[in-house]
Amino acid sequence: EQEEAGIRVDKSLPYLLLDKHTAKTEQASNLARAYAGFPISLGSPLDMKAWLYRVEGMPVQRKRAGRGTGPETTDKDAIAALRRWVGTEWDPDEEPDLATAWAAIEAGGNPMLEARCLYMGARQAVSHYILPMFEIEGKTRGRDL
């Protein structure tokens, strides 16, 4: 019976979590825009590669492709390697937030890397954990997401 009934969830909780993580993506976008001087898409691999490797001149991170080198990447492993390169480490189990990003920037971190980390952490929480709660409730995407 318990397996069929499932786990009780406070029906207002997914909306609160969605609002919280949407605010984080906006904070990250605002941080990137303030640093770059123009809007930049933190979710776009092309924008991130252009900014990090061409504008900032950071060491290019590549996907491993058997023998030789693969294409340029800005996946989570590449961002982690670049954050280590600039001297900012973080706990991978810790949820990124604006205060953590500012602390890393004040410690010498790169604002664009910190914004990307904050943005991707919030987007992952939404796509992997929050949106499925709406689908369980019988709503395909809750309110206008």
Side-chain angles (χ1 to χ4, degrees):
E1 284 182 29
Q2 287 179 334
E3 282 184 27
E4 289 179 20
I7 299 171
R8 288 184 189 216
V9 176
D10 179 356
K11 291 184 181 187
S12 66
L13 185 61
Y15 291 103
L16 296 173
L17 291 173
L18 181 63
D19 290 344
K20 173 185 170 186
H21 286 85
T22 299
K24 284 185 179 187
T25 60
E26 290 173 13
Q27 291 169 343
S29 294
N30 290 338
L31 176 60
R33 182 177 24 257
Y35 180 65
F38 57 88
I40 187 165
S41 176
L42 293 170
S44 166
L46 291 175
D47 283 1
M48 293 311 300
K49 285 187 264 189
W51 183 268
L52 297 174
Y53 303 142
R54 309 301 177 279
V55 175
E56 294 277 349
M58 293 185 178
V60 175
Q61 303 298 303
R62 298 188 176 275
K63 289 185 179 181
R64 293 196 173 126
R67 297 181 183 179
T69 59
E72 294 179 348
T73 184
T74 56
D75 63 11
K76 68 177 184 175
D77 294 330
I79 298 299
L82 292 172
R83 288 183 80 209
R84 281 192 297 277
W85 182 74
V86 298
T88 54
E89 282 289 336
W90 81 101
D91 181 3
D93 295 329
E94 185 178 312
E95 183 180 337
D97 61 7
L98 188 59
T100 305
W102 276 118
I105 292 166
E106 288 175 356
N110 180 282
M112 193 63 71
L113 291 174
E114 299 306 320
R116 169 73 175 203
C117 182
L118 176 59
Y119 180 86
M120 294 308 289
R123 292 302 311 153
Q124 181 178 9
V126 169
S127 67
H128 287 62
Y129 306 110
I130 299 168
L131 289 182
M133 286 191 245
F134 288 107
E135 292 166 4
I136 290 169
E137 210 29 55
K139 300 172 185 168
T140 55
R141 288 290 185 178
R143 56 187 178 185
D144 294 328
L145 306 176

